[in-house]
């Protein structure tokens, strides 16, 4: 299995991010932005950067279900926090 494979997530993220400018606008770029968001949030622990990538995916007109769920949860919490005493 893959359990014995060690992945350098920071390096993988950096290499994927370098390919972003070469992609045409639209779905392909949105898909990569969603993958970047997933890696940076789940493996590198940076929720803020993940949200920026997901906003970028929305700007490209494409977002996956997991990214959409994260954005809506974040928006719900932000909205609720604004009304808390």
């Amino acid at each position: 299995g893959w359990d014995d494979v060690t992945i350098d997530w920071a390096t993988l993220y950096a290499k994927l991010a370098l390919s972003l400018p070469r992609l045409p606008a639209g779905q392909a770029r949105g898909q990569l932005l969603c993958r970047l968001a997933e890696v940076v949030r789940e493996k590198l622990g940076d929720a803020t950067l993940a949200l920026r990538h997901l906003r970028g995916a929305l700007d490209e007109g494409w977002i996956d279900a997991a990214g959409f769920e994260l954005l809506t949860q974040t928006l719900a919490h932000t909205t609720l926090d604004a009304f808390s005493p």
Side-chain angles (χ1 to χ4, degrees), residues 7-85:
I7 297 172
D8 181 347
W9 291 104
T11 299
L12 177 62
Y13 171 82
K15 287 182 180 183
L16 288 173
L18 284 174
S19 65
L20 191 60
R22 294 189 301 257
L23 289 176
Q27 184 175 343
R29 190 177 286 202
Q31 288 173 326
L32 180 56
L33 285 163
C34 287
R35 293 296 69 76
L36 289 170
E38 181 182 347
V39 169
V40 78
R41 178 174 173 257
E42 294 181 14
K43 302 300 182 182
L44 302 177
D46 190 338
T48 302
L49 183 54
L51 289 172
R52 274 191 245 142
H53 286 316
L54 293 173
R55 286 185 193 122
L58 279 177
D59 290 344
E60 295 297 330
W62 194 94
I63 191 166
D64 63 6
F68 182 76
E69 183 177 342
L70 177 62
L71 282 177
T72 56
Q73 288 174 354
T74 302
L75 180 59
H77 289 295
T78 302
T79 302
L80 290 175
D81 290 345
F83 292 106
S84 296

